[in-house]
Amino acid sequence: MRSHIRCLVLILGAVLLPAGFRIQAADSTTVTNAPLRRTDAHGNPVRRAITGHISNYDESRVGHYTLPDPLVLADGRSVRDAKTWFNVRRPELLKLYDDDIYGRVPANAPKATFKVAEIDTNALGGLAVHKLVLIKFGDKPDGPVLQLNEYLPAKATWPVPMLLQIVFFSNPPIPDPAVPSPSQTRRFRFPFSEAGPMTNIIERGYGYATFRYTEVQSDSRDSFQSGVIGLTLKPGQTKPAPDEWGAISAWAWGASRALDYLESDPDVDAKRVALIGHSRLGKTVLWAGAQDPRFALIFSSCAGEMGSSLARRDYGETIDDIAVNFPWQFAGNFQKYIGHWNEMPVDTHELIALNAPHPVFITGGTGDQWSDPRGEFLAEVAAGPVYRLLGLKGLGPTNFPPVDTPVITGDLGWNYHTGPHAILPSDWKAFLDFADKYLKPKPVGALGSNLAQ
Ligand code: GCU
């Protein structure tokens, strides 16, 4: 299913999309040196990595692994209180992720400046106020500019809580077809669900803002000289230092700059901003939330390897695949873990735990075994001790819950949907119910009702 969707996206990208929306060749395909590229009887991708590793989908062959303990300091002492977690262990883990996994943001990262370029007080048939905000990085006239499309519930009492989503294509997002928007006719409709159910989001009392990830940094091989990373390189330098940012760090940094803008917007309560991303952007939002505690809540959809699933589990995609196929998304240093997963000083439960005390909602899909949904669930379970140390709840169940049964009673949330590598309507519903507990929006009701008055 996933490969069909990828093919469809590529074909549509080549044939239908206007130039501004065209996908870069390496954007959605797995560029691989591996000779073996097939699917198994269940449609799961089977890859032979350069290490000779072949994708495994047999739970009995996942192998034994020992996860690093998030509550043990580098010097071997235990973390027994919140103060030691925040002052010592958390910085230790962040440094490990900075140095070896996603790469640190260099000190000369560009400044961002904001400009509200358009305001439409009658968007979505009067349901929302739309602002198009341009976030410019650096001061080169032709430098990168991010377009943030921000929708605020027109009838709400402002400031409102906000859902900020990093998207592949849907910017501006596709409104609910029941609420036609003039912009819809001009814009490309993404062939599968990516953007949220806008009408419902707005009616629930949230603002909704989206930006496109490649406006911060390109998602392709050998493209470091462009985007925000390019602005930080010295003349003649073709890539960042081995411990400096790859694209995931750059996208996460871009999300923080969008939050800087939201902090400056009096119509938004910037203390109630949830950050949302799918797949590689699901990896990005977990890393953004780990670094920037201003994000109040994180929704990471189908983030899989080096995102939400445990890397030490040999199931679906592995480090041997991702580090070779998508090297630009990581720090140069990450390459040393190809074939050496167990030597990695961190694993995903720690990335999730770095988001504490903020709640995190994670999803997986039955048709997305490449992302190892069980490994995603187990990573959340293993993040639990950190949440509990801080007086919060972990996920709750420790046995893999049945499909289509959201788990949203703890401070970590989970949904395993029946379906593909995508954010499905059922994920949005579970996420919004989870988010309501924390962000406490005031529903404005459907267009025409007077709930907010
Ligand atoms: C590839 C990659 C995944 C990633 C996905 C995506 O499939 O192997 O790790 O999550 O692309 O971003 O769509």
Side-chain angles (χ1 to χ4, degrees):
M1 179 70 189
R2 246 157 66 106
S3 55
H4 290 149
I5 289 175
R6 286 225 170 81
C7 276
L8 182 65
V9 168
L10 280 175
I11 292 164
L12 283 170
V15 177
L16 292 180
L17 298 183
F21 286 98
R22 191 153 294 160
I23 320 169
Q24 296 140 8
D27 222 325
S28 316
T29 45
T30 303
V31 178
T32 178
N33 303 328
L36 183 65
R37 287 176 63 83
R38 61 174 172 82
T39 49
D40 69 10
H42 303 285
N44 301 314
V46 178
R47 302 281 181 268
R48 178 167 34 230
I50 52 168
T51 53
H53 176 272
I54 295 181
S55 315
N56 171 52
Y57 294 98
D58 177 352
E59 196 55 40
S60 72
R61 298 177 62 194
V62 160
H64 293 288
Y65 57 88
T66 307
L67 292 178
D69 189 335
L71 294 179
V72 173
L73 299 175
D75 66 9
R77 283 181 299 138
S78 295
V79 179
R80 296 191 203 284
D81 51 57
K83 198 169 153 225
T84 313
W85 166 259
F86 284 115
N87 293 347
V88 190
R89 183 57 176 155
R90 193 172 183 286
E92 273 182 10
L93 287 170
L94 277 175
K95 181 164 167 24
L96 293 170
Y97 270 98
D98 262 344
D99 288 351
D100 270 14
I101 311 296
Y102 300 119
R104 77 182 67 258
V105 175
N108 65 341
K111 296 258 172 308
T113 45
F114 318 125
K115 184 175 146 199
V116 180
E118 286 172 26
I119 299 187
D120 174 4
T121 53
N122 196 30
L124 302 180
L127 191 64
V129 172
H130 171 230
K131 299 182 196 177
L132 172 64
V133 183
L134 303 181
I135 303 183
K136 178 156 174 52
F137 302 117
D139 43 25
K140 282 192 180 163
D142 59 347
V145 178
L146 178 159
Q147 300 184 45
L148 184 80
N149 278 287
E150 183 188 9
Y151 291 82
L152 299 164
K155 283 150 59 78
T157 308
W158 297 350
V160 289
M162 174 69 71
L163 308 184
L164 172 64
Q165 186 177 357
I166 318 176
V167 293
F168 291 92
F169 294 93
S170 307
N171 190 40
I174 302 158
D176 184 316
V179 185
S181 140
S183 68
Q184 205 177 330
T185 52
R186 295 191 270 119
R187 300 286 176 174
F188 177 66
R189 273 170 162 278
F190 200 55
F192 61 88
S193 160
E194 178 189 26
M198 253 177 111
T199 308
N200 184 241
I201 288 172
I202 303 280
E203 286 173 359
R204 284 172 92 123
Y206 292 102
Y208 184 49
T210 53
F211 72 88
R212 197 168 172 227
Y213 76 135
T214 44
E215 289 179 351
V216 180
Q217 184 63 39
S218 165
D219 185 13
S220 54
R221 204 175 281 272
D222 300 327
S223 60
F224 285 132
Q225 281 158 305
S226 66
V228 295
I229 295 181
L231 295 178
T232 65
L233 300 180
K234 297 190 191 76
Q237 192 182 348
T238 55
K239 56 181 182 193
D243 65 343
E244 285 181 347
W245 52 359
I248 288 176
S249 272
W251 301 327
W253 176 89
S256 287
R257 302 297 68 80
L259 182 55
D260 292 345
Y261 160 74
L262 294 174
E263 279 190 327
S264 77
D265 183 338
D267 302 334
V268 174
D269 180 352
K271 295 204 162 31
R272 290 186 289 159
V273 175
L275 182 64
I276 303 165
H278 167 66
S279 203
R280 65 198 67 183
L281 302 177
K283 308 182 210 288
T284 302
V285 298
L286 284 170
W287 178 225
Q291 298 173 90
D292 190 338
R294 294 175 303 164
F295 288 113
L297 196 153
I298 299 295
F299 173 9
S300 168
S301 159
C302 299
E305 184 67 21
M306 295 314 293
S308 57
S309 65
L310 292 173
R312 279 168 172 75
R313 272 172 55 87
D314 183 1
Y315 191 101
E317 187 175 24
T318 71
I319 288 177
D320 296 8
D321 300 302
I322 201 167
V324 173
N325 299 331
F326 301 94
W328 65 89
Q329 294 181 359
F330 298 89
N333 281 340
F334 182 55
Q335 295 295 309
K336 65 186 176 203
Y337 298 111
I338 297 171
H340 300 279
W341 320 336
N342 285 308
E343 287 162 33
M344 208 169 47
V346 287
D347 210 321
T348 300
H349 58 312
E350 296 174 313
L351 178 64
I352 297 169
L354 282 170
N355 282 271
H358 300 300
V360 174
F361 180 74
I362 287 176
T363 58
T366 53
D368 186 24
Q369 297 302 310
W370 180 241
S371 295
D372 185 13
R374 187 183 292 268
E376 294 174 332
F377 167 77
L378 291 173
E380 274 198 291
V381 172
V386 174
Y387 278 77
R388 287 192 288 276
L389 177 81
L390 304 180
L392 300 161
K393 289 187 199 150
L395 185 61
T398 51
N399 290 328
F400 200 34
V403 292
D404 301 318
T405 312
V407 179
I408 54 169
T409 51
D411 294 310
L412 292 169
W414 166 252
N415 191 38
Y416 186 31
H417 63 236
T418 300
H421 180 67
I423 315 186
L424 299 188
S426 58
D427 298 318
W428 280 108
K429 161 91 176 66
F431 163 68
L432 289 167
D433 290 346
F434 183 69
D436 281 359
K437 291 198 293 179
Y438 302 95
L439 304 183
K440 303 197 186 322
K442 293 208 176 63
V444 296
L447 191 62
S449 92
N450 283 320
L451 263 183
Q453 286 154 19

